[in-house]
Amino acid sequence: MKSLLYIFLPCKQIYPVGCTYLADYVHKRRPEIRQRILDLSQIPPGERAKAIRETAEAFRPDLVCFSWRDIQIFSPHEGDASLEQAFTFYYSNNPFKKLAASLSGLKSLYQYYAGIRANLAHAWLIRKICPDAQIMMGGGAFGAFAEQLIEKLPAGTIGILGEGEEAVLKMVEGRPLDGERFIARQNGKTITGAGQSYTNLDGLSVDLPYITEIFPQYTAYTDDCIGVQSKRGCPYDCAFCLYPYLEGKSVRYRPAALVVQDIAQHYRQWGTRRFWFTDAQFITGKAAYPQCTEIMERIIAERLEIEWSGYIRTSLITSELATLMVRSGVGDLEVAITSGSQEVLTGLHMGFMLDRLYDGCRYLAEAGFKGKVILNYSLNAPDETEATLRESIESYKQVAAILGEDRVFPMMFFLGIQPHTDLEHRLLEEGYLSSGYNPLMLSPSSIRKLLYNPAPLNKLIGRACLAAWNRKKGPRTGSRDPRPWSGAIGKGTRLGESGVGGCKTEGSSPALDVRGSRYADSSLLRGVELNSGRDVLVTLEEILNSRKSPVKTVASTPSL
């Protein structure tokens, strides 16, 4: 093969970091291969087919690698309007609101199916334009729904599950995919490769001038948040998470020098000032302390005045790490507390103790951390009771008492059931899900199941959420980001699966203005700028107190 085209399928604006690592990996081993990255997210929907056609006809690729990152509807967090649509339809007592929600829901369903059809059509278009080209498909969305999607792709398409550097290189060099985890359709049958080769990360780096050359659309990201990977794999067994399935449970580390080299390249060549560690967890455990410490020390030593963030378990933060985090420029953080009940956390295999999570927050406060904290709660997780709901309310109070209520933003999530997770397996065994169900086929009844909020607490929680989301109050304010660029006007940002950004609300601080917000992703703005998650907890507490249930509470902090 002599040429390779990467097509990043459309999603919310997010730097296609996976494509850049793949392209660089191939280039360092086969520099004679011509490569090109096409980002469809930067192209209006009506012009995407034309862009693919023109690029493919001009480039004539021998191998086309699609990256499919997102498939989601009726998102399980309050930053997405589709959750409110679903809850209004299922739990509102107002028939007019239910009707309006059903119409909005139908529109969302149409957009969902249209998006899947369009992405599949892009692969078929490549087959038409370049009939002799090999097609490969990867990315998180494809990995999650590979069994369903492979049947709708052109025959001979090779789907990669997990990381793809070695599989792509083997394809370029004409070698068999022995030892790779893949899926394909041949002669009407689905075949799979049971192996999994893991990329050696010791030399994984990015030649930014080369990426700039093969990715003409890079200018859309020069002032955005850039993803950097410092490690792969996740050692935890969180019941609802796909990371271990996609990346494996063994954690592999990149040398800290190369991680900071990537950051420095973007800093000096593109002027980038914001970075997001795309790892499953930046601090995966005590074994990660040396690497994380060296990364932050190198950022400080090289005087890189950046803001960085990522998924971080505060339960693993020590006093020393907290000091380094603040000195190296840590920005707003997203903390997946999930529940304030240790019993619920244990049932979800979360792998941390709440007391340690609170300790990590204290260390951050003592170190002078001034950013926002989005505190993610998954209400009505398995084993939830009224008592554990009260414990979650009290856990928010504890974190707010430590960091300051004006900087802690609880966000209501609901567990989305995904294939290949322990939660899916459990619900299949319990009969909540039917064997052989298709997770991509949505209907009012299947949405209600996949957006996990089961009886008997479903109506109580739905009522609290709707009351909070419909509440009309004065302006809410959040933290003011102390970094010097926080008040800049210009760019909204999106990266990863969570963050803040969006439109300005009257009376909000600069940190909550999307044009100046410096967090990773705009999808959570709505919940943050209104602080509606706090309203949900307030309302939930009021409802529980009105029921006068003699349940156990756990905190001595004042009522909300």
Side-chain angles (χ1 to χ4, degrees):
M1 292 185 175
K2 298 180 180 179
S3 55
L4 200 168
L5 173 63
Y6 303 89
I7 299 180
F8 189 58
L9 292 171
C11 61
K12 56 193 175 186
Q13 180 168 312
I14 176 172
Y15 181 66
V17 61
C19 293
T20 63
Y21 282 130
L22 275 170
D24 194 83
Y25 188 86
V26 172
H27 179 65
K28 284 184 170 63
R29 288 151 185 82
R30 296 296 299 269
E32 75 280 7
I33 300 295
R34 294 185 301 115
Q35 298 190 97
R36 174 74 182 270
I37 298 174
L38 175 63
D39 182 358
L40 295 184
S41 297
Q42 300 301 325
I43 300 171
E47 300 176 19
R48 287 168 183 163
K50 178 183 176 183
I52 291 174
R53 180 180 296 277
E54 291 178 349
T55 302
E57 289 177 345
F59 195 70
R60 306 310 302 178
D62 297 315
L63 174 61
V64 180
C65 295
F66 287 92
S67 177
W68 196 335
R69 183 184 186 274
D70 288 338
I71 293 180
Q72 191 164 323
I73 189 176
F74 297 104
S75 301
H77 66 73
E78 59 184 296
D80 192 300
S82 58
L83 176 64
E84 186 171 340
Q85 293 168 8
F87 267 47
T88 301
F89 180 76
Y90 294 129
Y91 305 119
S92 175
N93 293 322
N94 186 319
F96 299 105
K97 288 186 176 181
K98 289 175 76 75
L99 176 61
S102 67
L103 295 175
S104 297
L106 287 174
K107 181 179 178 181
S108 294
L109 273 174
Y110 172 79
Q111 293 172 338
Y112 163 80
Y113 284 118
I116 292 178
R117 285 195 301 268
N119 282 353
L120 294 171
H122 296 326
W124 284 97
L125 180 59
I126 284 292
R127 170 61 70 238
K128 180 180 179 180
I129 300 169
C130 306
D132 297 326
Q134 175 63 60
I135 298 174
M136 300 183 79
M137 182 77 70
F142 178 80
F145 303 104
E147 292 85 350
Q148 291 78 32
L149 294 174
I150 196 66
E151 297 181 355
K152 301 180 183 298
L153 289 164
T157 298
I158 297 174
I160 299 299
L161 309 177
E163 59 193 72
E165 282 89 352
E166 279 299 308
V168 171
L169 185 62
K170 287 177 180 178
M171 190 61 59
V172 166
E173 295 178 342
R175 293 184 284 142
L177 293 179
D178 296 343
E180 300 296 333
R181 190 156 62 114
F182 69 89
I183 186 169
R185 291 280 292 178
Q186 291 184 356
N187 300 321
K189 295 183 179 180
T190 299
I191 61 172
T192 58
Q196 175 66 73
S197 66
Y198 291 110
T199 306
N200 186 334
L201 303 185
D202 289 345
L204 189 67
S205 63
V206 173
D207 179 351
L208 197 58
Y210 175 71
I211 296 301
T212 300
E213 176 185 332
I214 69 169
F215 183 30
Q217 297 163 292
Y218 80 93
T219 55
Y221 298 100
T222 52
D223 191 36
D224 213 325
C225 192
I226 298 295
V228 176
Q229 194 167 55
S230 77
K231 58 187 68 65
R232 290 182 184 174
C234 183
Y236 299 103
D237 288 313
C238 301
F240 48 83
C241 185
L242 273 170
Y243 266 111
Y245 173 76
L246 295 175
E247 291 192 356
K249 294 194 64 176
S250 176
V251 181
R252 292 157 289 134
Y253 301 89
R254 290 181 66 202
L258 293 183
V259 175
V260 179
Q261 176 182 299
D262 286 355
I263 293 173
Q265 280 190 101
H266 285 93
Y267 182 89
R268 295 180 177 123
Q269 295 175 36
W270 286 8
T272 305
R273 293 296 182 267
R274 290 172 293 121
F275 297 87
W276 174 272
F277 287 109
T278 63
D279 317 337
Q281 293 288 337
F282 179 60
I283 308 173
T284 50
K286 292 183 178 179
Y289 285 175
Q291 187 225 29
C292 294
T293 297
E294 185 179 350
I295 287 172
M296 292 185 284
E297 287 176 342
R298 284 179 176 271
I299 290 172
I300 296 168
E302 295 197 28
R303 299 185 179 182
L304 300 176
E305 295 185 3
I306 65 171
E307 179 178 310
W308 64 267
S309 191
Y311 295 116
I312 295 178
R313 290 187 169 214
T314 61
S315 58
L316 292 168
I317 295 176
T318 64
S319 177
E320 295 76 15
L321 284 173
T323 299
L324 279 175
M325 289 169 67
V326 172
R327 288 186 60 206
S328 60
V330 67
D332 301 332
L333 291 177
E334 182 180 356
V335 177
I337 187 172
T338 306
S339 173
S341 164
Q342 192 63 57
E343 178 184 354
V344 172
L345 293 176
T346 301
L348 291 173
H349 315 145
M350 294 295 291
F352 70 87
M353 302 299 292
L354 281 165
D355 287 345
R356 295 291 298 132
L357 181 147
Y358 302 139
D359 287 343
C361 291
R362 291 189 187 93
Y363 294 139
L364 284 172
E366 291 166 1
F369 173 74
K370 300 298 183 184
K372 298 184 290 294
V373 170
I374 297 174
L375 204 58
N376 294 338
Y377 286 94
S378 294
L379 298 183
N380 212 2
D383 304 319
E384 191 85 87
T385 64
E386 290 190 16
T388 61
L389 287 175
R390 288 181 180 273
E391 289 179 308
S392 287
I393 296 167
E394 299 301 333
S395 69
Y396 159 65
K397 296 178 189 177
Q398 282 199 242
V399 177
I402 294 168
L403 292 170
E405 188 176 357
D406 63 333
R407 293 194 289 111
V408 178
F409 297 83
M411 186 69 65
M412 301 301 109
F413 276 68
F414 290 84
L415 297 179
I417 303 169
Q418 301 183 93
H420 314 292
T421 61
D422 286 344
L423 178 61
E424 183 202 44
H425 296 158
R426 170 177 175 170
L427 297 179
L428 284 168
E429 291 177 355
E430 294 176 353
Y432 179 89
L433 295 174
S434 301
S435 177
Y437 83 103
N438 184 343
L440 292 181
M441 293 297 294
L442 298 182
S443 66
S445 60
S446 66
I447 290 169
R448 191 164 192 164
K449 281 183 173 290
L450 295 176
L451 182 60
Y452 190 75
N453 183 37
L457 297 175
N458 55 337
K459 293 183 179 180
L460 182 153
I461 291 172
R463 174 185 164 195
C465 288
L466 290 178
W469 296 339
N470 292 328
R471 185 171 292 174
K472 303 298 182 183
K473 284 188 174 182
R476 299 155 168 87
T477 60
S479 67
R480 184 181 300 274
D481 193 325
R483 311 293 304 176
W485 50 84
S486 65
I489 301 299
K491 301 288 184 179
T493 62
R494 303 180 182 94
L495 187 65
E497 289 303 316
S498 46
V500 289
C503 57
K504 181 176 175 61
T505 55
E506 182 180 357
S508 65
S509 71
L512 291 185
D513 182 345
V514 66
R515 298 168 298 175
S517 180
R518 316 317 289 169
Y519 200 59
D521 179 9
S522 68
S523 65
L524 299 189
L525 168 73
R526 185 166 177 267
V528 171
E529 69 178 2
L530 298 177
N531 206 359
S532 52
R534 182 186 184 278
D535 283 352
V536 171
L537 295 179
V538 168
T539 307
L540 188 58
E541 185 177 48
E542 292 171 351
I543 294 173
L544 290 172
N545 288 342
S546 70
R547 294 159 68 94
K548 297 181 180 180
S549 301
V551 295
K552 176 185 176 182
T553 59
V554 296
S556 58
T557 52
S559 178
L560 287 171

